[in-house]
Amino acid sequence: MQQIILKPALHKFRTAKEFAETFGLNADDLILTNEYIYTPCFGGLHLPAHTVFQEKYGSGEPTDAMVDAILAEAEKTGSKRVIAIGGGTIIDIAKVLAVADGERVDGLYDRMNDLSKKRELVIVPTTCGTGSEVTNIAIINRTRIGTKMGLVSDHMYADSAVLIPELLSGLPFSVFAASSIDALVHAVESSLSPKATSYTQLFGYRAIEMILRGYQVIAEKGPEARRPLLDDFLTASNYAGIAFGTAGCAAVHALSYPLGSKYHVAHGESNYAIFTGVLRNYMEIRSDGPIQELNRYLAGLLDCGTDVVYDELEKLLNHILPKKALREYGVTGGDLPAFTESVMKTQGRLMANNFVPLDADRVLKIYRELYE
Ligand SMILES: [Fe+2]
């Protein structure tokens, strides 16, 4: 059994300048980023690299149309190395750029098992959530199909992942909140996965501890208290990425995708809308083994009994990001069977990692419980 994958070389720098000098950013590089990130941190360095600002091709999470347009632009530059500096959207698109060979997104999904690396890839995350800098998957909203799907290939691992905590200093609280909850979900889902090992749990459990301890400080002192903790959150997000890079995510992500796709709910927030609903249903089916271990661990961190651990977890998370019922996002009762069908048909990759198997009836039950 595979114990843990430790793929990209990991680097940490104090400043953007140190990173640019060490990596020798040059005219053969394509920097995929957002202008609001690049200009304050890198603009003064006057780097000779090509820059592509993702927001010029659409807003929000990556869609097939957005990625197709950026692929076309990247081809014009003839660049040999892609440097992703940004959040989940930037990182996911950069992974596609690393393997694209002239075709568009649909073509890449069609030959997913046959991809190879065409450009060296360096990933610099600027949120504390996705952990995507250490995984081999990109999630794209396939608008022509109507759901988000993972494009997966070992050739999509970065060659280098680079952590620069200073790049998180401009992160608005709402983005910090959604991205760090995503990291918490990665840590929890991967720790309950049948593919979890003592190695992945080492990273997953430590990430859970760092994130919840940070949230407790923020709950007590307010949002500004996050600033000295950004290095911790970036590191925890990376740990969670290492954990789910091997052990996988599961039903929380699977059930959140139709919600995110149809109602444009940000990834971390849609995960939180689903999170405890899935855990409570796991407990109805099986309450011993890894979930019992997890609940004991959470109860220790939250200083509560294991019988109320999810209530206490929600209370803490609600200080960071208030949980909403699905109907508050505009979801209708009629959406729930369609969401269920979409999960069962298109999210098999994730549903295979569930703590216990969840069938269509159970998925519909979870959505119904979260609806009101
Ligand atoms: Fe996620």
Side-chain angles (χ1 to χ4, degrees):
M1 183 177 175
Q2 182 164 252
Q3 296 296 298
I4 193 160
I5 301 164
L6 294 168
K7 275 277 176 174
L10 265 177
H11 302 257
K12 192 181 251 187
F13 293 101
R14 207 171 45 80
T15 65
K17 185 165 183 279
E18 283 176 19
F19 158 63
E21 286 171 358
T22 305
F23 274 72
L25 300 191
N26 63 72
D28 284 335
D29 291 327
L30 168 64
I31 300 177
L32 178 65
T33 185
N34 295 122
E35 194 163 10
Y36 71 89
I37 295 168
Y38 188 77
T39 301
C41 297
F42 290 87
L45 303 178
H46 305 293
L47 299 172
H50 301 277
T51 51
V52 171
F53 294 129
Q54 168 266 324
E55 65 271 28
K56 294 196 172 150
Y57 300 85
S59 61
E61 293 170 0
T63 64
D64 35 18
M66 183 198 295
V67 179
D68 282 349
I70 292 175
L71 283 173
E73 187 61 32
E75 277 158 25
K76 291 183 206 161
T77 67
S79 53
K80 297 184 175 67
R81 183 166 68 167
V82 178
I83 318 283
I85 304 172
T89 295
I90 299 284
I91 296 173
D92 282 6
I93 298 171
K95 287 176 175 174
V96 179
L97 290 177
V99 296
D101 192 20
E103 72 274 79
R104 298 293 171 256
V105 165
D106 289 345
L108 291 167
Y109 276 95
D110 288 345
R111 62 176 193 91
M112 189 152 73
N113 295 327
D114 185 36
L115 299 174
S116 59
K117 186 162 275 183
K118 298 296 172 189
R119 297 179 178 102
E120 190 183 332
L121 178 61
V122 178
I123 297 180
V124 187
T126 62
T127 67
C128 47
T130 68
S132 189
E133 68 277 7
V134 291
T135 67
N136 63 343
I137 180 167
I139 309 291
I140 296 167
N141 188 353
R142 300 189 71 186
T143 56
R144 297 161 201 140
I145 295 177
T147 192
K148 296 183 183 183
M149 278 178 78
L151 184 72
V152 189
S153 167
D154 280 355
H155 298 280
M156 289 161 64
Y157 280 112
D159 298 281
S160 300
V162 179
L163 306 183
I164 311 174
E166 112 173 337
L167 298 186
L168 273 65
S169 57
L171 204 62
F173 186 76
S174 59
V175 181
F176 163 83
S179 63
S180 56
I181 285 183
D182 185 33
L184 177 66
V185 173
H186 294 157
V188 168
E189 290 219 276
S190 63
S191 295
L192 291 176
S193 164
K195 291 195 249 165
T197 67
S198 61
Y199 291 87
T200 67
Q201 286 174 336
L202 185 66
F203 284 97
Y205 272 66
R206 178 71 177 134
I208 292 169
E209 181 186 12
M210 289 168 81
I211 292 167
L212 293 188
R213 288 287 182 232
Y215 283 170
Q216 285 167 332
V217 172
I218 295 166
E220 190 191 331
K221 298 183 178 170
E224 286 307 302
R226 76 187 183 283
R227 298 202 178 278
L229 301 172
L230 289 174
D231 192 344
D232 279 359
F233 274 94
L234 183 61
T235 305
S237 154
N238 186 255
Y239 285 172
I242 291 169
F244 93 84
T246 300
C249 287
V252 178
H253 276 71
L255 271 68
S256 81
Y257 284 152
L259 170 67
S261 179
K262 183 159 185 184
Y263 292 100
H264 307 290
V265 183
H267 176 71
E269 184 168 352
S270 62
N271 271 340
Y272 182 39
I274 304 290
F275 184 34
T276 50
V278 168
L279 294 179
R280 289 178 203 280
N281 274 269
Y282 282 160
M283 281 293 286
E284 286 178 17
I285 300 168
R286 183 183 169 194
S287 58
D288 64 347
I291 201 162
Q292 187 178 37
E293 187 189 334
L294 173 74
N295 290 349
R296 280 193 195 131
Y297 188 73
L298 292 172
L301 292 170
L302 296 166
D303 198 20
C304 67
T306 50
D307 53 329
V308 293
V309 75
Y310 301 145
D311 299 325
E312 291 301 315
L313 181 61
E314 277 189 5
K315 264 189 219 167
L316 177 60
L317 296 187
N318 282 339
H319 284 283
I320 310 300
L321 184 71
K323 185 182 172 185
K324 289 188 197 169
L326 298 186
R327 61 173 175 72
E328 293 180 79
Y329 292 109
V331 174
T332 66
D335 283 327
L336 304 183
F339 281 8
T340 300
E341 192 184 343
S342 169
V343 168
M344 302 312 289
K345 268 194 180 161
T346 66
Q347 303 300 342
R349 178 186 64 83
L350 290 165
M351 296 292 279
N353 299 333
N354 290 340
F355 172 59
V356 287
L358 303 178
D359 62 15
D361 289 344
R362 180 64 71 164
V363 170
L364 184 59
K365 172 179 176 289
I366 295 171
Y367 275 134
R368 286 198 171 126
E369 288 168 1
L370 296 169
Y371 177 67
E372 286 296 342

